[in-house]
Amino acid sequence: MKIIKLVPCLLLFISGRIFAQDQANITISLNNKIGDMYPFWAWFGHDEPNYTYMKDGRKLLSELATLSPVPVRMRVHNLLTTGDGTAALKWGSTNAYTEDASGKPIYNWHLVDSIFDTYIKLGMKPYAQIGFMPEALSTHPKPYRHYWKPGDNYDDVYTGWAYPPKDYNKWEELIYQWVKHCVQRYGQTEVESWYWEVWNEPNIGYWKGTMKEFFKLYDYAAHGVKRALPTAHVGGPEVAGGSSPGGMKFLNAFIKHCIADTNYATGKIGSPIDVISFHAKGQPTLINGRVRMNMAPQIRDIREGFKIVASYPETKNTPIVIGESDPEGCAACGMATNPSNAYRNGTMYSSYTAASIAREYQLADSLGINFMGSVSWSFEFENQPWFYGFRDLATNGVDKPVLNVFRMLGMMKGKRLKVTGDQMYSLKTVADSSIRGNNTDIGALAAADKKEMTVLLWNYHDDDLHDAGKTVKIKIGHLPPTFVKLTQYRIDDEHSNAYEVWKKMGSPQKPTATQIKELEKAGQLQQFGKQVTLQAKSGLAGATVLLPRQGVALLKFSW
C-alpha cells in the first residue's frame, strides 16, 4: 500500500507532471455543510414514448435505474396520442382513446401499460404527462399524424393532437379511467408515489387553444385524476421559457387561476396544484464554424421560475419540477441540420451539464424553494445513425460522455459542502453573461457522508475549444486524522468517451460486433490512474489535478 503523508503545505500530485501555468484553487471544509445532496437530476424525458420498451431503450433505462440512488422519474410526450405505436422523431402514440361509430369511448391501455410496466419493473416511476389530444376528441383532428424530420420547419409537428377537446366531459372521463386503471394495475400505494402533469408548453405551439381554454383543460384533467385517486399528485403547467415575457405571464396566470379562480370542472374556487413546472433552455450558436454555448438563458429561466412560485404564499412550499432543463431546445435536431448542436457527442455536453447542475443547486439554495426535480430532456433514438448529434444519452446502445456525469452524481451522497473557487464564475455572472471570460470556469460540487467525501470538478467554457488543461489545487479541511483512500474518475478525450474511440475507428456507421463491444466499454465511467492512500495531518489534505478544458473529474475520498 502506497502511503503519502500530508501536511498543510503539501498536496498530492495525482496527475503526473504539473506545468508552470495559471493555477485554480478550490477550498472545501467538511464542517461547512449547506444542504442535502438530493438527486434532483435523476429525472429524464423524451418525445418518443415508444422507444421506452424497444431494445436500446430498455438497455438505457436499466443503466439509468442503476446509477441513481433514488427511483428515476421519466417524463414522455404522446402518452394519449392516437396511432399504431410506430416510433418516429418527435412522434409517438398509444391509441389509448378511440370512439366507435356512435361516439362511445373505447379505451385501450396496452401500449401505455407497456411503457409504465418497463419503468415499474426497473424500480423507476412515471412523471406521467397527460397529453396529447386523441384524434377522436380533437376539435381540429386533421391533419393529425406529422412526418417531421430534421431540417423541416419545427412548426410542422403541431397538428391535430395540439387542439382542445370537443367534449371536456369525455376528456375528464378519459383521465379518470386512465388513473383508475393504473391504480388497479400497480396498486394505490405505487400510484400515490407518482406525479401527474397536464400537457406540455401550452404557451407556444403545443397548445392551439387560448390560455383560458388551457385552464379549463387542466381543471377537467386534474378533476379526473383526483376523482380516481384523491391522494394522487397533479400539477403543471410545463410552460416554455421560464424567464420569457410569455412564459412568466402564463405561469403567473396559471398559479393565480389554481389559487383563486372558479374551477371549470367543479364550479368551486381553486384547482389542485401539487407540483409546479416550467422549462429552461440554453442557446448555443455557431461563431466562425465553432460552437459557442450560452448557459445564461437556462439559468435565468430557472431563477425567474423559482421566484414566481416563491412569490405566492399558497405555493412557496409547493414542489417544483423543471420539466425540461437543457442546453437548447430541440433534442431531435442533429448537428448535420443544426451545426450549433455539434456539442452533443463529446465532452462539451458533459462539462456543460456538470457546471449547470451545480448552479441549479445554488439557485434553489439562494431562493429557499422546494426544488424536487430537473428533467434532462435526453434519452435515445432507436435505429438512427451513429453519433448523429441528437441530444441523447446513448447512440445505438453505446453511452455518450454526458451519461457519465450522471454516474458521477449518483456516487455523491450525504450533505453538500460549501465550495470556494477562485476561478469559479459567480451565479450572477453566469445568469447575466454565461461563461465567456478569459478564464475557464473551474468549479466543484462537493458532498460528504459518514465515511466518504466526493468532489465533482469541471473545467468548462462556452467556447468549444480544447487544450491541455489547467492545474487545479483542491484543499480540504477538517478531514478525520486517519488514512484516506483517494480514487479519481474522469471524463475527457481519453476517458469515459466512446465518441473519441468511434472517431479513431474511422467513424463507422456499421461497426462490427467487436467494435461495438469496444465502444460499449469506452462509454462506461472510467477510473483515472490508481487509487492512492493519504494520511491526513491535522485534518487537512488535498489534491492537485491537471484537468483538460471541457473535462470533468470525480474525486472520491474514503476513510
Side-chain angles (χ1 to χ4, degrees):
M1 177 175 67
K2 184 179 180 181
I3 299 175
I4 301 177
K5 294 184 178 180
L6 294 177
V7 295
C9 62
L10 181 64
L11 295 170
L12 173 68
F13 291 74
I14 63 175
S15 308
R17 181 184 175 194
I18 297 299
F19 297 87
Q21 58 183 31
D22 185 25
Q23 175 180 281
N25 298 286
I26 299 285
T27 304
I28 307 165
S29 171
L30 257 68
N31 281 1
N32 201 341
K33 298 177 175 63
I34 58 175
D36 292 329
M37 186 65 207
Y38 58 100
F40 68 74
W41 48 265
W43 298 58
F44 300 91
H46 53 115
D47 292 65
E48 305 83 4
N50 307 100
Y51 289 156
T52 300
Y53 48 77
M54 298 175 74
K55 175 177 63 70
D56 292 337
R58 290 197 306 269
K59 179 181 180 182
L60 180 55
L61 285 174
S62 67
E63 291 184 308
L64 293 178
T66 301
L67 66 82
S68 174
V70 300
V72 168
R73 306 271 179 171
M74 292 297 301
R75 176 178 186 254
V76 290
H77 293 339
N78 294 300
L79 287 173
L80 296 176
T81 305
T82 303
D84 61 6
T86 300
L89 298 180
K90 304 293 297 180
W91 176 259
S93 59
T94 66
N95 227 37
Y97 180 94
T98 54
E99 293 180 355
D100 64 16
S102 65
K104 181 180 178 181
I106 300 171
Y107 304 107
N108 181 351
W109 308 118
H110 172 68
L111 289 179
V112 176
D113 288 347
S114 296
I115 295 164
F116 283 8
D117 285 356
T118 305
Y119 299 155
I120 302 305
K121 287 177 182 177
L122 291 169
M124 308 171 92
K125 295 183 183 294
Y127 178 38
Q129 184 182 136
I130 299 174
F132 293 118
M133 193 58 60
E135 187 173 9
L137 278 180
S138 175
T139 55
H140 194 286
K142 301 294 183 182
Y144 192 78
R145 168 75 161 91
H146 72 72
Y147 294 90
W148 179 90
K149 62 184 184 300
D152 289 353
N153 187 332
Y154 194 84
D155 288 344
D156 290 352
V157 306
Y158 304 132
T159 54
W161 54 263
Y163 285 83
K166 62 184 181 183
D167 187 324
Y168 281 88
N169 288 317
K170 284 186 175 181
W171 167 251
E172 189 270 349
E173 182 68 17
L174 165 60
I175 310 311
Y176 166 77
Q177 292 291 341
W178 184 19
V179 177
K180 179 183 175 183
H181 168 78
C182 288
V183 172
Q184 292 171 342
R185 187 174 184 85
Y186 305 110
Q188 178 176 329
T189 300
E190 173 62 34
V191 180
E192 283 175 337
S193 69
W194 302 358
Y195 284 83
W196 301 79
E197 53 90 1
V198 181
W199 219 254
N200 177 69
E201 299 184 337
N203 57 320
I204 61 173
Y206 280 90
W207 177 244
K208 292 297 187 180
T210 65
M211 184 187 294
K212 288 186 177 180
E213 284 174 323
F214 174 77
F215 297 164
K216 186 175 182 179
L217 179 92
Y218 178 86
D219 288 352
Y220 275 88
H223 183 59
V225 171
K226 295 288 189 176
R227 185 160 67 92
L229 182 62
T231 50
H233 306 290
V234 64
E238 300 286 349
V239 296
S243 64
S244 67
M248 295 173 71
K249 177 182 177 181
F250 202 108
L251 184 57
N252 272 298
F254 173 77
I255 294 174
K256 291 175 181 177
H257 169 75
C258 291
I259 292 171
D261 287 352
T262 300
N263 187 302
Y264 287 97
T266 67
K268 299 178 181 179
I269 298 297
S271 195
I273 182 170
D274 304 309
V275 57
I276 299 175
S277 52
F278 57 87
H279 297 174
K281 305 286 184 176
Q283 194 175 24
T285 55
L286 207 64
I287 306 294
N288 296 324
R290 186 184 68 238
V291 174
R292 172 173 285 177
M293 307 298 285
N294 188 359
M295 195 182 296
Q298 182 182 359
I299 300 304
R300 289 196 296 266
D301 281 346
I302 297 169
R303 182 187 65 194
E304 297 310 310
F306 282 173
K307 285 183 177 179
I308 288 171
V309 176
S311 69
Y312 297 90
E314 296 88 347
T315 63
K316 65 179 182 180
N317 296 317
T318 301
I320 298 173
V321 171
I322 309 171
E324 297 177 22
S325 186
D326 304 290
E328 36 63 45
C330 180
C333 298
M335 61 188 185
T337 55
N338 298 73
S340 62
N341 290 341
Y343 73 89
R344 292 168 164 181
N345 288 328
T347 57
M348 190 80 175
Y349 192 4
S350 44
S351 59
Y352 180 104
T353 299
S356 60
I357 284 177
R359 269 70 187 204
E360 291 182 50
Y361 278 112
Q362 291 179 348
L363 282 168
D365 289 345
S366 66
L367 296 170
I369 46 82
N370 184 0
F371 184 25
M372 183 169 65
S374 179
V375 178
S376 176
W377 199 253
S378 52
F379 188 56
E380 63 99 21
F381 293 86
E382 207 88 15
N383 302 318
Q384 296 292 331
W386 286 80
F387 293 101
Y388 184 76
F390 291 126
R391 193 175 67 235
D392 49 11
L393 303 172
T395 175
N396 291 282
V398 170
D399 299 339
K400 289 186 173 183
V402 66
L403 183 53
N404 287 308
V405 173
F406 294 103
R407 289 193 171 106
M408 288 177 169
L409 287 164
M411 297 168 68
M412 303 183 74
K413 305 171 185 176
K415 298 289 186 179
R416 284 179 293 118
L417 306 173
K418 184 178 180 180
V419 173
T420 302
D422 62 4
Q423 293 187 28
M424 184 173 179
Y425 283 55
S426 71
L427 180 59
K428 184 180 186 304
T429 298
V430 177
D432 289 345
S433 55
S434 196
I435 297 170
R436 301 282 176 85
N438 293 328
N439 286 322
T440 57
D441 179 45
I442 307 291
L445 179 69
D449 211 351
K450 292 181 180 179
K451 295 286 185 179
E452 184 178 288
M453 175 184 173
T454 46
V455 180
L456 181 70
L457 182 71
W458 61 86
N459 181 351
Y460 171 76
H461 195 277
D462 280 351
D463 287 331
D464 191 10
L465 297 171
H466 291 249
D467 57 35
K470 184 168 287 188
T471 302
V472 186
K473 183 181 288 187
I474 304 165
K475 181 179 178 181
I476 303 166
H478 298 97
L479 277 167
T482 184
F483 293 114
V484 178
K485 293 181 179 179
L486 172 58
T487 309
Q488 184 184 172
Y489 302 87
R490 179 70 70 85
I491 305 168
D492 56 28
D493 284 349
E494 304 296 329
H495 302 87
S496 316
N497 192 332
Y499 181 52
E500 290 298 322
V501 173
W502 179 74
K503 289 194 295 184
K504 289 174 183 177
M505 289 178 176
S507 306
Q509 280 301 323
K510 294 183 179 180
T512 65
T514 300
Q515 287 176 321
I516 291 173
K517 188 174 182 180
E518 183 181 351
L519 290 170
E520 288 176 332
K521 182 179 179 181
Q524 299 299 302
L525 180 61
Q526 296 172 17
Q527 183 174 322
F528 181 82
K530 295 181 180 180
Q531 183 185 80
V532 296
T533 301
L534 325 175
Q535 185 178 12
K537 286 285 189 177
S538 304
L540 187 67
T544 298
V545 179
L546 179 62
L547 188 63
R549 182 169 171 144
Q550 312 305 358
V552 183
L554 181 76
L555 306 183
K556 180 179 177 182
F557 300 83
S558 56
W559 54 86

